[in-house]
Amino acid sequence: MINIVPVKLKANIGVVADLARTIWTEHYTPIIGLGQVNYMLDKFQSAKAIQDQLEKGIAYYLLQLKDEFVGYFSYSINEDVLFLSKLYVLKSARGNGVAKAGLSFMQSQAKELDLAKIRLTVNKYNSDSIAAYEKMGFSNVDSIIQDIGGGYVMDDYVLERKLD
């Protein structure tokens, strides 16, 4: 059974930051290099960065499989779109429907808010994640490069899924 736990407590913020470090270091180092991974973790996924995002109204949730936190997701609302900022699952927990449960939860949230679609960005070289999102009904609608400081950029595709 998969539980979705809102991130409200300081202890849960630390859990998200720890999961981020584990997942990002393993998954993204071969794609963007350890330097950029560490820069992005400090800038976007440290406990302080997560706390700042929560204070700005960005939603964070932990994904729990049995008794263990195995992933997390984050989203914000931009006009008529739910922007899926983060959806990460530990490698050991993939294939158990964890990401699908998170996406289903976000889809329900979007429908309750009468939003037309879910949008996300994904690194152009993150082929496994692109394939997983396409399997979940997302389509590639754009390509963007964003300067994130520190001499780094995010070279991403924009994917969207229209809601019925």
Side-chain angles (χ1 to χ4, degrees):
M1 173 147 156
I2 300 161
N3 291 318
I4 296 172
V5 179
V7 175
K8 304 281 184 203
L9 306 172
K10 259 199 171 16
N12 285 350
I13 293 170
V15 171
V16 172
D18 290 344
L19 282 166
R21 184 153 300 280
T22 300
I23 296 167
W24 282 46
T25 301
E26 175 196 57
H27 187 79
Y28 285 107
T29 299
I31 298 171
I32 61 175
L34 188 57
Q36 185 167 347
V37 167
N38 286 332
Y39 175 81
M40 291 179 73
L41 283 168
D42 291 341
K43 184 168 181 161
F44 301 117
Q45 293 293 266
S46 65
K48 181 184 179 337
I50 294 164
Q51 180 66 48
D52 290 347
Q53 291 167 52
L54 287 166
E55 289 171 8
K56 291 177 183 167
I58 296 171
Y60 269 85
Y61 293 85
L62 283 161
L63 293 160
Q64 185 178 30
L65 181 62
K66 298 177 184 163
D67 294 337
E68 183 184 357
F69 290 123
V70 296
Y72 68 99
F73 63 91
S74 171
Y75 67 83
S76 59
I77 308 304
N78 298 344
E79 298 172 9
D80 68 338
V81 173
L82 183 145
F83 181 73
L84 167 53
S85 176
K86 296 157 188 68
L87 175 56
Y88 299 108
V89 177
L90 290 169
K91 187 175 187 176
S92 61
R94 293 182 196 146
N96 289 303
V98 176
K100 197 174 282 187
L103 186 62
S104 177
F105 176 86
M106 285 181 271
Q107 184 172 323
S108 296
Q109 295 292 106
K111 285 182 177 181
E112 279 181 30
L113 295 166
D114 202 28
L115 303 175
K117 52 194 154 191
I118 298 174
R119 180 179 297 145
L120 61 93
T121 57
V122 60
N123 183 283
K124 290 177 184 173
Y125 303 101
N126 192 353
S127 53
D128 290 345
S129 295
I130 293 167
Y133 283 123
E134 288 174 342
K135 189 175 175 183
M136 291 187 273
F138 284 83
S139 302
N140 186 341
V141 298
D142 202 359
S143 173
I144 58 172
I145 296 176
Q146 299 175 68
D147 184 338
I148 57 169
Y152 298 111
V153 298
M154 293 192 325
D155 189 8
D156 294 340
Y157 289 128
V158 177
L159 305 183
E160 282 185 356
R161 178 179 174 183
K162 291 184 178 150
L163 301 174
D164 336 298

